[in-house]
Amino acid sequence: QVQVVESGGGLVQPGGSLRLSCAASGSSFRLSAMGWYRQTPGKQREFVAVISNGGSSTRYVDSVKGRFTISRDNAKNSVYLQMNSLKPEDTAVYFCNVFPPSPEYWGQGTQVTVSS
């Protein structure tokens, strides 16, 4: 079982950067691939990035490739999302969850707003 708390969101200008953090608890964290997801009002939650349980493999949605980097620190039970060159269309609430996502593990998310 995994429980998560996301943090690090905020208001940033276009072209800026943010680093999101996800603190996870549960004995199965180290065994789980972890993902970042995002949701805007009126739209379905979408996949952003995934990292394998050991951290050696990553995958991204096309719209963030080359700008976002997912990483994890299993010693700290944490997953991160470094977001660079942010665009207004990146504005959303960002969530972390296992991959594929499990309904029981959604946290509150962290709001990212990209605006001048």
Side-chain angles (χ1 to χ4, degrees):
Q1 192 173 15
V2 175
Q3 295 177 315
V4 301
V5 177
E6 303 93 343
S7 63
L11 173 64
V12 63
Q13 292 186 340
S17 299
L18 282 174
R19 187 190 193 215
L20 306 184
S21 297
C22 170
S25 62
S27 58
S28 61
F29 172 79
R30 292 179 177 82
L31 302 177
S32 303
M34 295 295 296
W36 282 97
Y37 310 83
R38 64 187 180 186
Q39 187 171 25
T40 55
K43 293 186 178 181
Q44 286 192 335
R45 205 166 303 187
E46 68 168 349
F47 163 80
V48 176
V50 59
I51 188 166
S52 60
N53 58 349
S56 61
S57 179
T58 59
R59 182 164 58 89
Y60 302 88
V61 67
D62 285 348
S63 59
V64 308
K65 283 181 181 177
R67 300 188 298 121
F68 291 11
T69 302
I70 188 171
S71 61
R72 67 190 295 164
D73 185 339
N74 284 346
K76 296 182 178 179
N77 274 21
S78 294
V79 182
Y80 308 99
L81 188 67
Q82 178 66 44
M83 306 187 296
N84 299 327
S85 302
L86 282 161
K87 303 176 180 180
E89 52 262 44
D90 295 318
T91 295
V93 179
Y94 285 71
F95 303 86
C96 70
N97 199 326
V98 296
F99 182 89
S102 177
E104 63 198 275
Y105 299 157
W106 290 116
Q108 295 298 309
T110 184
Q111 175 72 48
V112 172
T113 303
V114 185
S115 175
S116 56

